[in-house]
Amino acid sequence: MDPHVRDCIRSYTEDWAIVVRKYHKLGTGFNPNTLDKQKERQKGLPRQVFESDEAPDGNSYPDEQDDLKRRSMSIDDTPRGSWACSIFDLKNSLPDALLPNLLDRTPNEEIDHQNDDQRKSNRHKELFALHPSPDEEEPIERLSVPDVPKEHFGQRLLVKCLSLKFEIEIEPIFASLALYDVKEKKKISENFYFDLNSEQMKGLLRPHVPPAAITTLARSAIFSITYPSQDVFLVIKLEKVLQQGDIGECAEPYMIFKEADATKNKEKLEKLKSQADQFCQRLGKYRMPFAWTAIHLMNIVSSAGSLERDSTEVEISTGERKGSWSERRNSSLVGRRSLERTASGDDACNLTSFRPATLTVANFFKQEGDRLSDEDLYKFLADMRRPSSVLRRLRPITAQLKIDISPAPENPHYCLTPELLQVKLYPDGRVRPTREILEFPARDVYVPNTTYRNLLYIYPQSLNFANRQGSARNITVKV
């Protein structure tokens, strides 16, 4: 194959091409002269003082200065007299030295070689470098060397899910995290699903759930936010195994029963457990929405940043605006990431330097059966930022979810990309991994793509059979 054809094909098959510009330094845009370099070069030069630089003595009178000027122009000061003065001066003056070998025949190559040597003798190494660099405002061609393409990241946040506990434990509960931007009315990350159920609860679903892959066992996630703002919320949604009845009816036991009353209501709880067991056996493959809550990220970041402690713990109750803080020591991971990645974001909303915080979410909102869409969620999130009666009408479910929020370390171990590829270094393949969650930026990000991303996210939003004649039961959607 012709070399140029091969190069053309290679430009399509390679991840990227690095262009090495051999003659870049000879271009008009290349300017190696910095102020420090110029000062360094000028150190070895002799100081030159000219007559015009010397300040005249202020004590001398004007007529004396004129006399000095006239005297400096006299014939006696010059080695040779003026032509206009006398022909005798010309005869008495010394002749110029003869130019040796002027009329000798010499090959051109030798003359060029001699000239080259003479040019190099007593010559400052970088003569033109002493010239001050041109003003930046001047219209001049600037050829900046482009950076090697890097994988783009915004400000990165590490979220660790520690525990999820309800007043009663009768069935498995499944949780997911995602970031939402209220102002842009957009979901700005994929879902991160995590499972905090006990082994006993997981056992109820064993007939339906195949052995879990190690990639699905992650309980910590790294979120990337290119455009951090005061409008970003971390939304936690809970689901349970599909069962008969409306969502409100299914959530009722969690609002009525308390942990302290377990002995008093033992029979009722046993009945609920047996019902849950039956639903898990029959409908263990299917889920239904159960509850949700949201965390205003910037409140956590600003509160954690203002405390002079290694780590902080905050309890969030959905009925209250303010959280109560208590001390907790926590060691934050520090490391260096092996992949080169760029970061960006608004300095006013800095997610990279706050102190790690442990949050305890005390209450969840019961999911309304007719308000499952993202549009409804944006309304609720907007109400969370200002006192409103809308949220007070929602009945809370008492629970306790503990999560750690901290700036993501540069090089977390056991990390998986959104494509579930291992990020180096990955010491052991059997350890519970940390998942990188793919960002869906609120606005366009203008960076070159460095890899192919073969991911397609499909989220069925709703299925409405309200206008259909007759009953519409036992319908499931598969994509």
Side-chain angles (χ1 to χ4, degrees), residues 388-453:
S388 169
S389 60
V390 177
L391 284 178
R392 293 195 195 111
R393 289 203 299 269
L394 297 177
R395 292 184 63 188
I397 298 173
T398 306
Q400 199 175 61
L401 172 67
K402 279 197 172 185
I403 57 175
D404 273 348
I405 296 182
S406 61
E410 284 185 43
N411 188 21
H413 291 327
Y414 314 109
C415 189
L416 298 175
T417 67
E419 292 85 4
L420 303 183
L421 303 174
Q422 295 179 358
V423 178
K424 295 176 183 177
L425 303 165
Y426 205 96
D428 189 353
R430 295 166 297 178
V431 177
R432 193 188 297 275
T434 297
R435 285 273 311 277
E436 283 183 352
I437 302 304
L438 186 64
E439 181 185 10
F440 306 149
R443 301 187 296 279
D444 288 337
V445 179
Y446 297 105
V447 291
N449 294 313
T450 56
T451 55
Y452 288 106
R453 172 157 276 147

Side-chain angles (χ1 to χ4, degrees), residues 21 118 180 271 284 377 394 401 452:
R21 304 180 188 276
Q118 285 177 1
Y180 287 81
K271 186 181 177 183
L377 179 63
L394 297 177
L401 172 67
Y452 288 106

